[in-house]
């Protein structure tokens, strides 16, 4: 949804970079590492007797042990000469953050019952050329249950922004959370949708309506409305591609707002907020695309000689 052109090139036309160019680095690498640390901590503390991890949070020493063991596999550049300070900062932040994650879910009475939970469900899209059923696949970072069995899904994000995901949650534009709730509903035919939220690994904060997790008194996200808006938007984008038009994400947004590629962040932010508000008013959703970090950015002029 962020960039139909990106989707067309990668998935429909199979235009891909060499594998070495796709190796994660920077924040993406660190996020992958910390996700793996969470998954390993849950797995090694799993208790079949209760069907999940114990509510007792892991100790700092347990977190450090897993972190040290996984760095060579997921973030080996942290062990290179000259990276000691960065490694220490990532380690300390990871320990503080995961201490908050596990203590917060335990305080809320939420037991972790799965990590990186794969799902696959048929999804029928009413395309202009005829309905088409596809397989909707993905994985949920954390599945949790309270004492009565009611489900919650938490998505883990390593992000330096402390406001972006709160905004997505409160506007109902958090389509990833909506898709997770839909997938769980497909699997279990829930009377009420699962509660959803984010945990911001960099800041060590929850974004959720559960006040035991997040004290900001947020209104629960209407995940079913968000899912309907998402599928409507996907259908529209695929119909446009079938007609021969693939919108180039951020580039099209800037062009539509008469902004240059190097426009100040505040102006780019206002343009995106306007596009998101307009989409919501039409029963759809607009998703931001970080085109400048895409391997296809040179093709639409976000980077390189065509700027």
């Amino acid at each position: 949804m962020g960039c139909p052109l990106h989707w067309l090139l990668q998935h429909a036309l199979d235009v891909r970079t060499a594998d070495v160019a796709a190796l994660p680095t920077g924040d993406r690498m660190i996020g992958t590492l910390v996700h793996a640390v969470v998954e390993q901590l849950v797995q090694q503390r799993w208790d079949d007797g209760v069907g999940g991890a114990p509510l007792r949070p892991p100790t700092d020493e347990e977190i450090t042990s897993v972190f040290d063991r996984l760095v060579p596999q997921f973030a080996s550049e942290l062990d290179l000469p000259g990276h000691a300070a960065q490694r220490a900062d990532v380690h300390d932040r990871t320990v503080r953050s995961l201490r908050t994650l596990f203590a917060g879910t335990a305080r809320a009475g939420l037991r972790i019952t799965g990590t990186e939970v794969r799902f696959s469900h048929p999804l029928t899209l009413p395309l202009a050329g005829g309905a088409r059923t596809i397989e909707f696949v993905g994985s949920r970072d954390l599945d949790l249950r309270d004492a009565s069995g009611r489900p919650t899904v938490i998505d883990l994000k390593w992000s330096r922004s402390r406001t972006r995901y709160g905004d997505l949650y409160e506007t109902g534009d958090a389509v990833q959370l909506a898709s997770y709730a839909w997938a769980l509903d497909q699997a279990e035919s829930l009377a009420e949708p699962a509660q959803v939220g984010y945990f911001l690994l960099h800041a060590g904060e929850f974004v959720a309506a559960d006040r035991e997790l997040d004290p900001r008194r947020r209104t629960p996200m209407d995940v079913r409305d968000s899912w309907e808006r998402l599928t409507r938007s996907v259908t529209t984008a695929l119909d446009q591609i079938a007609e021969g038009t693939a919108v180039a994400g951020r580039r099209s947004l800037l062009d539509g707002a008469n902004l240059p590629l190097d426009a100040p962040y505040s102006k780019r932010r206002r343009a995106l907020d306007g596009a998101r508000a307009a989409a919501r008013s039409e029963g759809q959703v607009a998703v931001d695309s970080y085109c400048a970090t895409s391997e296809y950015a040179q093709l639409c002029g976000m980077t390189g000689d065509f700027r």
Side-chain angles (χ1 to χ4, degrees), residues 178-257:
S179 69
Y180 293 160
W182 176 84
L184 198 56
D185 197 12
Q186 295 303 296
E188 302 185 17
S189 300
L190 300 171
E192 294 293 332
Q195 293 295 306
V196 295
Y198 292 112
F199 183 74
L200 308 182
L201 292 163
H202 190 273
E205 295 178 356
F206 288 95
V207 174
D210 188 331
R211 295 181 187 175
E212 290 292 340
L213 300 176
D214 183 348
R216 295 174 181 82
R217 298 178 179 272
R218 302 183 195 271
T219 300
M221 179 179 156
D222 187 342
V223 292
R224 287 177 174 166
D225 175 73
S226 298
W227 175 254
E228 290 176 2
R229 290 193 291 118
L230 172 61
T231 55
R232 195 175 296 124
S233 301
V234 169
T235 299
T236 298
L238 291 175
D239 283 342
Q240 289 176 342
I241 290 173
E243 293 172 356
T245 300
V247 177
R250 177 69 72 89
R251 180 61 188 263
S252 296
L253 173 68
L254 296 177
D255 288 347

Side-chain angles (χ1 to χ4, degrees), residues 28-222:
R28 182 180 166 203
M29 172 192 71
I30 295 170
T32 301
L33 166 65
V34 183
H35 274 72
V37 172
V38 172
E39 183 176 13
Q40 186 62 43
L41 283 167
V42 172
Q43 289 178 355
Q44 71 182 30
R45 302 171 69 249
W46 189 269
D47 183 348
D48 286 331
V50 297
L55 294 181
R56 175 187 60 81
T59 65
D60 290 1
E61 291 74 21
E62 287 176 302
I63 298 172
T64 293
S65 175
V66 174
F67 178 90
D68 288 341
R69 188 166 71 250
L70 295 183
V71 163
Q73 180 180 353
F74 291 96
S76 57
E77 70 181 53
L78 293 179
D79 283 334
L80 293 174
H83 289 257
Q86 182 189 16
R87 189 190 194 284
D89 176 69
V90 172
H91 165 267
D92 293 348
R93 191 177 296 276
T94 298
V95 171
R96 290 194 304 269
S97 179
L98 298 193
R99 185 194 306 143
T100 300
L101 170 65
F102 286 99
T105 54
R107 183 176 60 250
L110 295 173
R111 185 183 307 281
I112 298 174
T113 57
T115 62
E116 298 298 328
V117 180
R118 296 287 299 173
F119 60 81
S120 179
H121 300 287
L123 170 65
T124 300
L125 297 173
L127 301 177
R132 181 170 181 180
T133 300
I134 61 172
E135 202 65 18
F136 188 80
V137 300
S139 62
R140 299 184 296 269
D141 285 346
L142 289 181
D143 279 358
L144 309 96
R145 302 273 172 167
D146 66 12
S148 66
R150 288 175 298 190
T152 294
V153 180
I154 298 292
D155 192 35
L156 306 176
K157 295 295 185 187
W158 182 274
S159 172
R160 295 179 185 273
S161 173
R162 301 181 72 162
T163 59
R164 179 186 178 209
Y165 290 99
D167 174 61
L168 290 175
Y169 184 93
E170 292 174 353
T171 58
D173 285 352
V175 294
Q176 193 172 8
L177 296 182
S179 69
Y180 293 160
W182 176 84
L184 198 56
D185 197 12
Q186 295 303 296
E188 302 185 17
S189 300
L190 300 171
E192 294 293 332
Q195 293 295 306
V196 295
Y198 292 112
F199 183 74
L200 308 182
L201 292 163
H202 190 273
E205 295 178 356
F206 288 95
V207 174
D210 188 331
R211 295 181 187 175
E212 290 292 340
L213 300 176
D214 183 348
R216 295 174 181 82
R217 298 178 179 272
R218 302 183 195 271
T219 300
M221 179 179 156
D222 187 342

Side-chain angles (χ1 to χ4, degrees), residues 13-26:
L13 301 180
D14 200 28
V15 177
R16 299 178 183 273
T17 60
D19 289 343
V20 66
L23 292 175
T25 188

